Amino acid sequence: MNAEQQRLNDYQTGKKNWMRWGSYLSERQWGTVREDYSAGGDAWNYFPHHQAISRVYRWGEDGIAGISDENQFLCFAITVWNGKDPILKERLFGLTNGEGNHGEDVKELYYYLDNTPSHSYMKYLYKYPQQEFPYTDLLNVNRSRNKTEPEYELLDTGVFNDNRYFDISTEYAKAEADDMLIRITISNRADEAATLHLLPTLWFRNTWKFGLTKEKVNMQLHHDTCIVTQHENLPPYFLYFQQADKVLFTENKNNKSLLWNVNDKQPCRKDAFHKALLLNDFRALDEKKSGTKAAPMYFVNLEAGESKIIYLRLSVNDIQEPFDAFFDDCFTQRKNEADIFYKDLQKPGESDAHAAVRRQALAGMLWSKQFYYYDVNTWLQGDAHQPAPPAERWQGRNNNWQHVKAADIISMPDKWEYPWFAAWDLAFHSIAIAEVDIAFAKKQLLLLFGSNYSSPDGQLPAYEWNFSDVNPPVQALAALEICRIEKEQTGKADLTFLQTIYPLLLKNYNWWLAREDDNHNNVFEGGFLGLDNISVFDRSHNLPEGGRLDQADGTAWMASFSLCMLEIALQLCNGGNAYEDDCISYFNHFVQISNSLQQIAQCWADDNTIDDGFFYDVLQLQDGRSIPVKLRSIAGIIPLLATTCLNKELLNNAPRLKTLLHSFDNTTNKYQIVDTAVDESQTLLSLLTPAQLQALLPVLFSEDEMLSPGGIRSISKVYENGFVLDIDGVDYGLKYMPGESDNGMYGGNSNWRGPVWMPLNYLIIRALRKYAAFYQQQITFNFSGDLITLGEAASELSMRLLHMFLPDDAGSRPVHGNYDIYQTEHFEDLILFYEHFHAETAHGIGASHQTGWTGLAAAL
């Protein structure tokens, strides 16, 4: 057990809370649903970026390279100023959904370089222009561009030309659970001298305004180079710092005069540091020696190419020499321990380049933890002694989720673009996180099943913009993947975890049966199911002529859910009848779903023949007509995912199920969904028949259809000139778009009409490996002139996904597209894990830090 594993063990056994502090600070709290108290739910405009400087948050805090305690009472982050910007750089800037030509988007350069599960060592890099930050240029150019044009990014503005920027590296090393060493390295990358103003900032989340804190909250100067804090929920913390040019204090309170034109005689408000530096007027702050927000201030003068290091330390200990030799030694030790931790995780045959990608992906996963706070009933009702929110909100967003009371550390999809959980994202996150922290992965997967999240009838909240929406039910699959990863690491599966999550999954499974199968015919709907704009119409609203959509993916997801539940129940079988009865029930339901989906398939298959192996949605009109939506998309590939391969040893746990499977008559059932090896060593259950699988594979792996340089496309390339569905003279159409979306469906910032998405590709690889385990060499197909097996197909797809992040001989990584700067010094090792990827070039698009589910790259 290495040092990091020992820390995790100490935390899990209750010996020491190594998780009390971590990278739990959001990177955008403004513009969120939680901070929106408007009548109509206009979150972006109710609390915009420019007000965040002066206005107090209710439900969280944000910052750059920030940390907080696990309840986010006390926060720390960096603030910088180049002497030219109209505001201090206190938080990351980006465009709102209405300002960007492809929806919301952060416009900054920052990178998650390293992190460990206990946050014993963390490193974050922020690149800050020395010229005035182009706020107005970014806003105006993006506003002027239409949806067919690319986004205008910070690198496009020219502010990084001639290396006129600062690299600001923020590192943390924990000496103990409550003793954090902080090292901020500022490097001038330009060929001339430059000055940076640095304000490492410590502040309290404002809890007193909302009646959440009874006693006085305060921080004050302990001596010239130390600030001490006072909070009823925390022990006193000491922030030690090297001699500063000034030490500033203010209050984390609203600037009422600026915000609402209300007379406010107190000058020391949330934005006081901004005003003091910009006006070079510190008179109001010079006499203030206490407050709820504080920062030592450094004027850092750097010659060309020079670097300087600032030391700080946040600790519960009163330390006489906080920056003695132990300080640097601790950083060296924690960094070495992190190296050993990741070295021990390196897989056999893994190259150093691949290992570096995995480490940066996992660093992103760990930096993307966030304290998520949202009490829906309080949010709707409002706080005591505060203005009552508009009454319309009781009929608005999330009004039927008043039981939700969230105050947890949660893995976020992207702490700027999506600083809120999403049900299916979180399931994928748990798989990637399992590579480094099994216990946290399990906790994340279990979280949304709690009574303070899940509805009484078993529905899981989808995401904060609409908890009632429906995401694909991938939680049972994630539970199996977590157990598989743990078994690979330790040699044994955690049956206690499966016993815990099983009844919770069953409740959600029953909700799906009751809610999404309206006609009780084992054909499921579900709406957009996370695939945003994948269809020719919005699958969640206003279907043509009041019709109903029988969804191939919704039905296939339920088939997959059935098989995953069967496999979990089978692992829990120990000779008793309860779980075996459940196994048989899930199998019977899988058979019913399979038959229903295959019957729907007859709506589009000509003369009962197999043409391409795809399944399609079918629009059921009120006059009785059935209209297949014959669009080759990843939604039609979801049936491929509904498969499992059960070995003889596992089936021996359930003899009645084993007999049922081995005696199953595919001929009587019409469709071959069960296949048992001649020696009965393995049994395959699959929604696809062998003939459908054989028909699908050549299309799936055709570069003229679904296969791109970076993985499987979300829509076939054959629709470059468009696809049109005529319904009674009305055309519904779309076209293959390998990059950004050209429409505003579901916000317009996600595109499922071409690009490559990591989570679905991960599941395709998983399915191919299960088929390969059963068929071995029996099934082959033509790929680029060669016959390949299913296992080779899975490896080919895996390598294409990884190829996006790996450098070629010239040092270029496809993920960075045409930005040659990433082949230069100080950029060449930096990797971004985007939301999705261009289907022709493999460069990243969408959210630039969605290490969330793109972090699955670490699990390939």
Side-chain angles (χ1 to χ4, degrees):
M1 184 179 293
N2 58 49
E4 177 62 16
Q5 290 169 335
Q6 184 62 57
R7 279 186 285 270
L8 294 176
N9 184 69
D10 287 349
Y11 171 71
Q12 291 150 19
T13 56
K15 292 180 180 178
K16 190 176 291 187
N17 187 3
W18 283 103
M19 304 294 190
R20 183 174 291 117
W21 285 84
S23 47
Y24 308 146
L25 201 61
S26 177
E27 284 165 339
R28 177 175 64 81
Q29 185 67 18
W30 60 272
T32 61
V33 166
R34 282 154 286 151
E35 300 295 339
D36 175 26
Y37 283 78
S38 66
D42 187 4
W44 286 109
N45 291 314
Y46 181 79
F47 201 136
H49 174 267
H50 69 269
Q51 287 192 358
I53 299 167
S54 310
R55 185 173 168 187
V56 168
Y57 294 129
R58 169 62 177 86
W59 297 99
E61 292 289 339
D62 56 18
I64 299 173
I67 60 172
S68 80
D69 67 90
E70 59 193 344
N71 295 299
Q72 205 158 100
F73 293 124
L74 185 59
C75 309
F76 176 89
I78 62 168
T79 299
V80 292
W81 186 50
N82 57 15
K84 299 173 184 175
D85 288 352
I87 57 174
L88 306 188
K89 181 63 69 172
E90 197 172 29
R91 59 186 49 80
L92 300 174
F93 171 73
L95 306 180
T96 69
N97 185 268
E99 293 169 344
N101 60 324
H102 295 115
E104 62 266 32
D105 192 42
V106 67
K107 301 298 182 183
E108 301 272 13
L109 293 187
Y110 60 105
Y111 306 88
Y112 306 132
L113 297 186
D114 214 349
N115 209 328
T116 59
S118 71
H119 309 296
S120 58
Y121 178 74
M122 301 186 283
K123 187 174 184 179
Y124 181 114
L125 176 64
Y126 178 66
K127 290 181 178 286
Y128 186 38
Q130 294 174 0
Q131 300 180 54
E132 180 178 341
F133 194 92
Y135 292 106
T136 303
D137 185 37
L138 286 165
L139 182 61
N140 290 339
V141 174
N142 278 286
R143 272 179 170 170
S144 70
R145 291 188 176 185
N146 61 42
K147 292 188 179 300
T148 64
E149 295 177 285
E151 296 177 357
Y152 185 59
E153 304 293 0
L154 183 59
L155 283 174
D156 298 325
T157 66
V159 294
F160 285 91
N161 292 352
D162 302 320
N163 294 325
R164 294 192 301 271
Y165 70 92
F166 299 104
D167 265 343
I168 306 166
S169 167
T170 304
E171 295 174 275
Y172 299 90
K174 287 185 182 179
E176 283 293 337
D178 289 298
D179 188 1
M180 283 142 295
L181 316 185
I182 305 166
R183 186 166 65 187
I184 302 172
T185 304
I186 305 157
S187 302
N188 177 13
R189 300 306 186 194
D191 58 4
E192 58 187 29
T195 300
L196 179 78
H197 302 70
L198 172 69
L199 287 78
T201 306
L202 185 72
W203 75 100
F204 286 117
R205 175 166 60 91
N206 190 324
T207 51
W208 53 94
K209 173 180 172 64
F210 309 104
L212 305 176
T213 309
K214 296 179 182 179
E215 299 179 6
K216 182 175 176 59
V217 171
N218 189 49
M219 55 182 66
Q220 63 187 26
L221 201 62
H222 187 54
H223 54 70
D224 286 350
T225 56
C226 180
I227 294 166
V228 64
T229 70
Q230 175 187 340
H231 192 288
E232 66 184 63
N233 299 114
L234 295 172
Y237 276 89
F238 299 89
L239 178 67
Y240 304 96
F241 49 89
Q242 294 174 308
Q243 190 66 50
D245 294 287
K246 284 181 178 291
V247 182
L248 307 179
F249 286 88
T250 189
E251 304 293 341
N252 186 16
K253 296 181 179 180
N254 290 319
N255 184 336
K256 299 177 184 178
S257 177
L258 178 67
L259 293 167
W260 303 297
N261 198 28
V262 174
N263 186 32
D264 187 352
K265 297 180 181 180
Q266 298 296 324
C268 297
R269 296 307 192 198
K270 184 178 178 181
D271 56 6
F273 299 168
H274 292 258
K275 292 191 294 183
L277 265 78
L278 267 64
L279 299 176
N280 194 26
D281 183 356
F282 294 89
R283 288 174 297 175
L285 299 179
D286 280 341
E287 300 304 316
K288 191 168 177 60
K289 303 302 179 185
S290 67
T292 49
K293 178 180 179 180
M297 184 173 67
Y298 299 91
F299 298 98
V300 184
N301 298 305
L302 296 167
E303 296 299 322
E306 186 183 7
S307 296
K308 288 186 178 179
I309 302 175
I310 305 295
Y311 288 173
L312 301 99
R313 186 168 183 172
L314 183 62
S315 177
V316 293
N317 303 315
D318 194 343
I319 306 170
Q320 295 302 311
E321 298 290 339
F323 307 121
D324 59 10
F326 170 79
F327 189 92
D328 282 325
D329 289 346
C330 185
F331 263 103
T332 300
Q333 182 178 344
R334 293 293 181 260
K335 176 63 166 61
N336 288 340
E337 290 168 353
D339 292 343
I340 292 169
F341 174 73
Y342 281 105
K343 185 70 174 178
D344 288 350
L345 292 175
Q346 196 162 338
K347 301 179 186 295
E350 187 175 54
S351 68
D352 290 342
H354 182 188
V357 170
R358 289 184 75 239
R359 183 165 178 172
Q360 221 169 122
L362 291 166
M365 297 295 307
L366 297 168
W367 268 103
S368 296
K369 291 182 184 180
Q370 177 184 312
F371 174 72
Y372 182 84
Y373 185 33
Y374 187 23
D375 181 329
V376 175
N377 182 265
T378 300
W379 176 73
L380 289 169
Q381 184 172 288
D383 293 289
H385 311 300
Q386 299 299 318
E392 296 94 322
R393 298 168 80 250
W394 289 99
Q395 284 74 49
R397 178 177 288 133
N398 297 334
N399 70 85
N400 57 336
W401 289 83
Q402 294 177 41
H403 64 280
V404 171
K405 297 181 186 298
D408 296 285
I409 303 300
I410 305 181
S411 174
M412 295 291 132
D414 179 315
K415 288 205 296 186
W416 192 95
E417 192 144 342
Y418 306 116
W420 31 260
F421 71 84
W424 78 316
D425 293 58
L426 191 56
F428 288 118
H429 300 182
S430 69
I431 298 172
I433 290 170
E435 293 282 333
V436 288
D437 190 348
I438 285 286
F440 185 69
K442 293 172 184 174
K443 185 176 181 180
Q444 292 295 283
L445 192 59
L446 286 165
L447 185 69
L448 299 190
F449 290 99
S451 60
N452 57 327
Y453 287 94
S454 173
S455 67
D457 61 1
Q459 183 181 9
L460 300 183
Y463 48 90
E464 75 173 21
W465 287 90
N466 184 2
F467 280 156
S468 295
D469 222 328
V470 182
N471 281 176
V474 293
Q475 287 72 25
L477 184 150
L480 288 169
E481 286 292 276
I482 289 172
C483 286
R484 176 188 61 79
I485 291 169
E486 183 171 24
K487 189 172 182 179
E488 289 177 358
Q489 292 177 352
T490 67
K492 59 183 180 180
D494 184 357
L495 296 183
T496 301
F497 167 63
L498 291 182
Q499 288 173 334
T500 301
I501 199 169
Y502 177 76
L504 306 174
L505 290 166
L506 179 57
K507 189 175 182 180
N508 180 242
Y509 183 83
N510 288 332
W511 175 83
W512 269 85
L513 295 182
R515 160 66 168 77
E516 298 301 337
D517 181 14
D518 285 346
N519 289 337
H520 306 289
N521 62 351
N522 296 298
V523 175
F524 294 83
E525 301 162 48
F528 90 118
L529 284 175
L531 305 187
D532 294 37
N533 63 345
I534 200 164
S535 186
V536 292
F537 36 68
D538 184 341
R539 301 194 300 174
S540 291
H541 305 97
N542 304 319
L543 294 172
E545 300 186 16
R548 186 191 79 250
L549 196 64
D550 290 340
Q551 294 183 217
D553 56 335
T555 305
W557 282 124
M558 273 308 291
S560 176
F561 199 173
S562 298
L563 290 182
C564 289
M565 291 297 283
L566 186 158
E567 191 171 344
I568 292 172
L570 188 56
Q571 291 197 39
L572 294 174
C573 279
N574 56 2
N577 290 328
Y579 287 117
E580 185 169 14
D581 289 342
D582 286 357
C583 290
I584 293 170
S585 176
Y586 294 128
F587 173 69
N588 288 333
H589 195 203
F590 171 71
V591 173
Q592 293 166 5
I593 294 173
S594 174
N595 288 342
S596 296
L597 190 59
Q598 294 287 1
Q599 288 167 12
I600 291 175
Q602 302 312 308
C603 292
W604 51 262
D606 301 325
D607 302 322
N608 294 332
T609 60
I610 303 297
D611 52 4
D612 57 14
F614 278 74
F615 288 74
Y616 301 111
D617 292 350
V618 177
L619 181 65
Q620 306 289 358
L621 298 180
Q622 292 181 339
D623 61 9
R625 284 180 294 159
S626 297
I627 301 178
V629 185
K630 294 193 66 173
L631 174 72
R632 287 181 181 170
S633 74
I634 206 161
I637 300 172
I638 304 300
L640 172 76
L641 311 182
T643 186
T644 190
C645 186
L646 308 174
N647 61 46
K648 182 178 181 179
E649 291 73 19
L650 198 57
L651 280 175
N652 285 341
N653 291 336
R656 288 187 290 125
L657 175 67
K658 180 179 179 180
T659 300
L660 175 62
L661 294 180
H662 289 179
S663 62
F664 187 79
D665 191 338
N666 286 295
T667 304
T668 302
N669 188 62
K670 295 184 181 180
Y671 310 106
Q672 186 177 343
I673 59 174
V674 180
D675 203 348
T676 299
V678 175
D679 61 359
E680 298 188 351
S681 60
Q682 295 187 105
T683 297
L684 180 76
L685 306 182
S686 171
L687 194 57
L688 266 63
T689 67
Q692 288 169 330
L693 179 61
Q694 288 274 26
L696 175 63
L697 289 169
V699 182
L700 191 62
F701 281 83
S702 168
E703 293 181 334
D704 295 326
E705 288 260 12
M706 299 299 293
L707 185 64
S708 82
I712 300 298
R713 300 178 171 105
S714 45
I715 278 183
S716 174
K717 189 177 180 179
V718 298
Y719 304 119
E720 285 182 298
N721 295 320
F723 167 88
V724 177
L725 177 68
D726 182 312
I727 302 177
D728 295 336
V730 178
D731 287 344
Y732 298 87
L734 56 73
K735 65 182 299 185
Y736 167 71
M737 295 178 294
E740 299 281 7
S741 172
D742 69 352
N743 68 80
M745 193 183 296
Y746 283 89
N749 57 333
S750 297
N751 184 21
W752 288 86
R753 295 182 175 180
V756 173
W757 290 77
M758 181 67 75
L760 271 296
N761 275 264
Y762 178 88
L763 294 184
I764 291 170
I765 292 169
R766 177 182 184 270
L768 290 173
R769 295 204 184 281
K770 286 184 176 293
Y771 286 114
F774 182 80
Y775 288 116
Q776 300 291 325
Q777 312 293 320
Q778 295 177 43
I779 291 182
T780 59
F781 65 96
N782 188 291
F783 172 67
S784 297
D786 295 317
L787 288 178
I788 64 170
T789 65
L790 290 161
E792 290 168 337
S795 295
E796 172 67 25
L797 182 51
S798 183
M799 287 310 302
R800 287 189 179 226
L801 292 167
L802 288 169
H803 163 75
M804 296 189 291
F805 309 106
L806 293 170
D808 61 18
D809 292 339
S812 175
R813 303 175 196 262
V815 65
H816 294 314
N818 293 324
Y819 291 113
D820 294 337
I821 196 170
Y822 281 100
Q823 298 175 52
T824 64
E825 188 179 13
H826 309 306
F827 275 87
E828 59 190 353
D829 294 325
L830 304 177
I831 308 172
L832 292 172
F833 296 87
Y834 284 82
E835 182 180 9
H836 45 302
F837 303 89
H838 196 283
E840 297 300 320
T841 66
H843 75 259
I845 49 180
S848 59
H849 288 71
Q850 193 157 349
T851 319
W853 62 18
T854 301
L856 286 167
L860 291 174

